[in-house]
Amino acid sequence: MDLENNTMEAIEKIGNTPDKLIEVLIQCQSLNQQNYITEEQLNLISKGLNIPLSKAYGVASFYSMLSTSKKGKYVIQVCNSGPCYVNNSKTIAKAFQDALGISLGEVTADGLFSLEYTSCFGGCQIAPAVKINDMVYGNLTEEKVWQLVDSLRKEAV
Amino acid sequence: MDKISIIIDGKKVSVPPDTTILEAARKTQINIPTLCYHPDQNVKGNCRVCIVEIAGANGFAAACCTTVKEGMEIKTNTIRIREARQMVLNLILANHNSQCLSCKRNGNCELQTLSQELNIEEEFLDKVVDLLPIDQSNFSIVRDQTKCIKCGRCIEVCNDVQGVGAIYNVNRSCDMKIAPAYEKGLSEVPCVYCGQCINVCPVGAIYEKEDTKEVWRALEDPNKHVVVQIAPAVRVVLGEEFGMETGSIVTGKIVSFLKRIGFDKVFDTNFTADLTIIEEGNELLHRIKSGGKLPMLTSCSPGWIRYIEFFYPELLQHLSTCKSPQQMFGALVKSYYAEKMGLKPEDIVVVSIMPCTAKKTEAKREEMHLNDYYDVDIVITTRELAKMVRESRIQLRELEEEDFDVPLGLSTGAAAVFGATGGVMEAALRTVYEVVTGDELDKIDFKNLRGIAGFKEATIPVGDLDVNVAVANGLKNAKILLDLIKEGKANYHFIEIMCCPGGCIGGGGQPIPATNSIKEKRIEAIYQVDLQSELRKSHQNPAIKELYEEFLIEPLGEKSHKLLHTHYIDRSKNNKDKRD
């Protein structure tokens, strides 16, 4: 119910015209602990902004920063573009998989973490880099990955 | 403005600025191949099949979306271009389920034709075709994404022409596909089943749910009395499937064919189109006299009905309560005709041949039955009729013309024009005028209501009253009128709305292609049928008069209400169709 009210509030604040779609989507995703836009939210957005649901879904599924399926509280995005790739981003991704016990594209059972590849977010000078929610971490090694996961687990408690 | 001079394949050409290379080439009879391009749609530029070489430029340019510049030298058909086009096509084919032999569009597929024209000898790339389930969630339309080449034509027609937006791009890059939100089935989203997406699809990714097997089975069942009705827009279009000129009228040949394959009676939807005019005309007069909801909206087009049910349920009371001619026909066959012939309704099978995919779902609406029997049992489209003709191995061209059976095969020219946008209105005015004034209408051709334009209006003096009417085709045009009604600004008595652009001659079940220029010829043929009719006003139909005398007693009477009128459903909350 809260999510519904907050979604409506966000639409009202940002504006209820079709051109506000992306802004509204970003804001609505941030309202959700699981970092995604729920079907109920998308329905409200579609009605509120007078956009067909298919189009709202099309836009939400187009951008990698938006999600239409459940993610973790911490969304771990491993950069897979050129500079990170040649600096062993694959090893980093593997380390996260081992540390979290999930594969790419999955969410941990406790809902804390989700793991995915992303394209460049501008951390090339500290490659290999990852983005976790709004924070960027670079110069990663396998060991640093385990430490990072550990500290986030503690932070969450 | 000054013309621009360019050279295409060594030929000097002058064209207006903003002309695309594709258009400039076609003006000089140079035919650049295309795939995503559709003459009635926006330029998309996503298939890259139309690439050409421009002197001095790196790489290739897509002819459909590159405008000419002064002095441009263009080559459209060199070895390099042909090889590049073959590569482009091979990339598309790598992602396409090319099981052509069992494809609905075998023999009428733009990708197949292009593969032939570009001389594809081998599909040399590995196939990457996702095994996605075929969407068969509804009675009308099937989507097979393994065939989809992602040209986006269906998205444009669904969103920009019909304003429905049932489908859109989902995901990005190589994961992109065309689907409803959350990749649900069409039955779970507000799809109106108009089938316009089918008509623009270059391949076999979208097609009607086929019901021809049920028809063949009914015909061979010795215990069934099988009757058939043909919609007005089928008779001027079927010929196209057999290489006849666009606009050929093949009514008599269809009747003859249907008799040959064993239908017990071959009747005409035009009969109940005439009946619709009597009922709907009287309903309009009743609403005007008694202060009922105006403007009254026509209710013949099932895609349109679904649209208003989904998107404007608050305006449902404006809809005429008349069932569509298809459904009136079924209801009468299982009551009036059954009684007359001494048949039990359960032993009768009513088959409809329609230009429409939405009619398949209309026949399955819960309101559309009496006792335990659906009014109409099986609905097939014009395209499916063409398939049955081929399967029968009968040569349509060689058939003698035959007449419809009586009494449900008799009709007037007013019924014939139902097949084109503006036709229902014209037919209604011919009758309403004479019923109200008692005078004979001299000028019965309402030419300002004819033609393919999306919106038309007129004021017709009927006795003391100036009747304001409007006609819209294509749902985006309907939306404009609905918004006016909502704002209380629609000063009309009667509005005709047809779901499909051009009316039923452009329906989702009609032969492909159906471009605007083809539709215009089909419309001409519709009015030709009208002109050739002995009687051209619905109330003059002797079989309709007899029907009222023997059975219905009076328009809007008790029997009419039970059999010929219906009600509508607010679908805005729950999109789901109930399936039996």
Side-chain angles (χ1 to χ4, degrees), chain B residues 325-518:
Chain B
Q326 158 174 287
Q327 296 305 131
M328 285 195 183
F329 178 89
L332 283 181
V333 164
K334 295 199 178 171
S335 55
Y336 172 63
Y337 174 77
E339 253 173 52
K340 232 178 146 123
M341 299 288 289
L343 290 164
K344 288 190 213 143
E346 62 261 45
D347 293 335
I348 303 176
V349 177
V350 176
V351 176
S352 298
I353 303 171
M354 293 285 142
C356 181
T357 42
K359 286 277 172 201
K360 288 174 183 274
T361 301
E362 181 189 41
K364 298 284 193 252
R365 285 177 69 111
E366 281 183 34
E367 320 85 78
M368 297 297 179
H369 59 78
L370 187 65
N371 304 325
D372 287 337
Y373 318 112
Y374 278 114
D375 295 343
V376 174
D377 299 285
I378 309 167
V379 180
I380 61 167
T381 61
T382 312
R383 287 193 296 267
E384 288 167 85
L385 174 63
K387 276 186 195 170
M388 291 186 68
V389 172
R390 288 192 197 99
E391 270 189 284
S392 75
R393 310 196 69 78
I394 293 169
Q395 297 299 309
L396 192 77
R397 278 169 180 274
E398 289 162 17
L399 286 173
E400 294 287 324
E401 304 204 349
E402 285 184 59
D403 287 330
F404 286 106
D405 290 312
V406 288
L408 276 62
L410 291 177
S411 67
T412 71
V417 298
F418 265 59
T421 165
V424 176
M425 184 58 73
E426 179 163 349
L429 289 172
R430 289 180 191 174
T431 286
V432 166
Y433 182 90
E434 297 200 354
V435 169
V436 172
T437 63
D439 300 333
E440 196 178 325
L441 183 65
D442 301 327
K443 279 185 72 181
I444 69 165
D445 293 328
F446 291 85
K447 293 218 162 117
N448 48 351
L449 294 175
R450 296 182 181 179
I452 206 164
F455 174 79
K456 288 160 278 185
E457 58 181 348
T459 301
I460 288 97
V462 177
D464 306 333
L465 181 73
D466 281 346
V467 178
N468 298 324
V469 302
V471 170
N473 66 83
L475 293 173
K476 209 147 194 194
N477 296 314
K479 182 179 164 46
I480 297 170
L481 279 166
L482 291 172
D483 285 335
L484 282 177
I485 296 174
K486 241 171 122 170
E487 293 164 24
K489 289 181 189 160
N491 186 26
Y492 302 107
H493 296 93
F494 192 23
I495 298 174
E496 176 205 296
I497 293 179
M498 289 295 156
C499 173
C500 293
C504 305
I505 50 91
Q510 296 281 48
I512 301 167
T515 57
N516 284 339
S517 57
I518 291 172

Side-chain angles (χ1 to χ4, degrees), chain A residues 39 54-55 57-58 61-62 64, chain B residues 165 168-169 171-172 182 184:
Chain A
E39 194 171 337
S54 63
K55 194 169 186 171
Y57 181 79
S61 64
F62 181 89
S64 58
Chain B
Y168 205 75
N169 297 328
N171 302 334
R172 184 183 58 240
Y182 295 95
K184 290 182 179 179

Side-chain angles (χ1 to χ4, degrees), chain A residues 25-49:
Chain A
L25 287 172
I26 293 170
Q27 177 63 25
C28 288
Q29 173 165 286
S30 74
L31 294 172
N32 194 329
Q33 278 275 315
Q34 298 299 137
N35 281 304
Y36 80 115
I37 303 153
T38 67
E39 194 171 337
E40 290 68 30
Q41 277 182 306
L42 205 62
N43 268 304
L44 292 171
I45 296 167
S46 148
K47 285 208 178 75
L49 272 58

Side-chain angles (χ1 to χ4, degrees), chain B residues 39-59:
Chain B
D40 303 331
Q41 294 202 342
N42 290 322
V43 168
K44 301 182 172 52
N46 62 33
C47 79
R48 315 312 280 184
V49 162
C50 66
I51 49 173
V52 294
E53 277 180 302
I54 301 171
N58 283 331

